[in-house]
Amino acid sequence: MTQQVEAVLEELKGRGHRMTPQRRAIVAEVLGSHGHISPQQIAGGLAETVPGMNVSTVYRTLELLEELGVVSHTHLGSGAEYHLADDRDHAHLVCASCHRWFSETVDKLGDVSEALRDATGFTPDLTHYAISGLCRQCATKS
Amino acid sequence: MTQQVEAVLEELKGRGHRMTPQRRAIVAEVLGSHGHISPQQIAGGLAETVPGMNVSTVYRTLELLEELGVVSHTHLGSGAEYHLADDRDHAHLVCASCHRWFSETVDKLGDVSEALRDATGFTPDLTHYAISGLCRQCATKS
DNA sequence: TTTTTTGCAAACCGTTTGCATAACG
DNA sequence: CGTTATGCAAACGGTTTGCAAAAAA
């Protein structure tokens, strides 16, 4: 994973940006998060190891990484979740009943999007906003 | 529409709540909004006609109306949009390119939801969060 | 040494809350 | 009159911003 971190940092450097310990730490944190992570989580987790690590730096770095196409984010009810951009078909399913949420790679999400596009003329990206609904368990109960 | 307003107020009354000019005004505003309206819009619009109308009253009333099943809300990127609960298949499509958004009734949204459920085991409600993507125009351009 | 990046503190926006006052029933 | 609803102001959580100081290149 360290290699991947360095690769991203190199990419940054190639575009005229600078390597800093903060960026290195943030990139590592994102790559190390299996699936998804919020800006607050990143800031909180790094506060211990990187003294003075600040939320605004996290936000600025995430924005940069998104421009580079390294990550993308999803809007949950409140707050954002970041995940690797190459993690396609990565949907965020929020249960309206038990309030748990599932960040999962959904096979056939492409098919669903296509169906939606046929119905609306709008080409949807079902990963950018969370999707509300009922999880299997809660759906069974009711 | 006035009749509908009164009907809702009666419903409230039946459940032990009280009729107040503020509630009447808010209900009228929601019913009169074709499609969708935000708490801020309601508060702003009523500030002129109902002296002292306060945002917190708007929020509290909308919450009440949602419990009654009169309205439901959708999470846009920032902030909520309310619409009549019986306005089914009412999706909010936000274009990632031109940033316009479309609040439209989508035929076959049920079919799409079903497809998603089959693929995930999760029963989705595609109207509760906005859906990002590309509108017809922007999709054609690129 | 130039330019970018950071930390900090303050501002922002939508939303929620506590509490005393007003007003419905 | 008892109880519910309101207005107000303050607090909230996530995010953004301006600016001076720190650090990459």
Side-chain angles (χ1 to χ4, degrees):
Chain A
M1 197 200 74
T2 314
Q3 291 178 37
Q4 294 173 39
V5 174
E6 293 311 315
V8 171
L9 280 258
E10 279 304 329
E11 173 85 25
L12 276 173
K13 202 174 171 183
R15 304 213 184 185
H17 298 291
R18 295 179 179 177
M19 290 185 176
T20 68
Q22 291 88 339
R23 284 185 177 159
R24 202 180 302 274
I26 293 169
V27 170
E29 197 76 6
V30 173
L31 291 179
S33 76
H34 297 290
H36 47 85
I37 193 165
S38 72
Q40 314 285 338
Q41 272 177 286
I42 297 174
L46 294 179
E48 301 163 13
T49 53
V50 185
M53 167 61 77
N54 195 277
V55 255
S56 52
T57 301
V58 173
Y59 280 103
R60 290 188 274 231
T61 301
L62 288 173
E63 191 181 356
L64 202 54
L65 293 176
E66 192 151 24
E67 283 171 23
L68 253 75
V70 175
V71 302
S72 52
H73 72 277
T74 301
H75 295 281
L76 273 273
S78 85
E81 284 288 323
Y82 281 78
H83 58 88
L84 298 181
D86 60 9
D87 191 356
R88 293 264 161 250
D89 301 332
H90 183 112
H92 292 80
L93 308 171
V94 185
C95 181
S97 174
C98 65
H99 303 109
R100 286 181 302 171
W101 62 274
F102 312 86
S103 165
E104 54 176 88
T105 298
V106 179
D107 283 349
K108 301 178 187 166
L109 199 61
D111 295 352
V112 175
S113 296
E114 210 163 302
L116 233 172
R117 190 188 61 214
D118 292 346
T120 61
F122 184 94
T123 308
D125 167 11
L126 293 172
T127 69
H128 192 63
Y129 287 97
I131 297 175
S132 179
L134 291 176
C135 69
R136 207 185 301 255
Q137 291 176 34
C138 291
T140 309
K141 281 179 200 157
S142 60
Chain B
M1 197 200 71
T2 314
Q3 290 179 35
Q4 295 174 38
V5 174
E6 293 312 314
V8 171
L9 280 258
E10 279 303 329
E11 174 86 25
L12 276 172
K13 202 174 171 184
R15 303 214 185 184
H17 298 292
R18 296 178 179 177
M19 290 185 177
T20 69
Q22 291 88 338
R23 285 185 176 159
R24 202 180 302 272
I26 293 168
V27 171
E29 197 76 5
V30 173
L31 291 180
S33 77
H34 297 291
H36 48 86
I37 193 165
S38 73
Q40 314 284 339
Q41 273 178 285
I42 297 174
L46 294 179
E48 301 164 13
T49 54
V50 184
M53 169 60 76
N54 195 276
V55 254
S56 52
T57 301
V58 172
Y59 280 103
R60 289 189 275 232
T61 301
L62 288 173
E63 190 182 357
L64 202 53
L65 293 175
E66 192 150 25
E67 283 172 23
L68 254 74
V70 176
V71 301
S72 51
H73 72 276
T74 301
H75 296 280
L76 274 273
S78 84
E81 283 288 323
Y82 283 77
H83 57 87
L84 298 181
D86 59 10
D87 192 355
R88 293 264 161 250
D89 302 331
H90 184 113
H92 292 80
L93 307 171
V94 184
C95 181
S97 175
C98 65
H99 303 110
R100 287 181 304 169
W101 62 274
F102 312 86
S103 166
E104 55 174 89
T105 298
V106 179
D107 284 349
K108 301 178 187 164
L109 199 60
D111 295 351
V112 174
S113 296
E114 212 164 301
L116 198 65
R117 190 190 59 212
D118 293 345
T120 62
F122 184 95
T123 308
D125 167 11
L126 292 172
T127 69
H128 193 63
Y129 287 97
I131 296 174
S132 180
L134 291 176
C135 69
R136 207 187 301 257
Q137 292 176 35
C138 291
T140 309
K141 280 179 201 158
S142 60

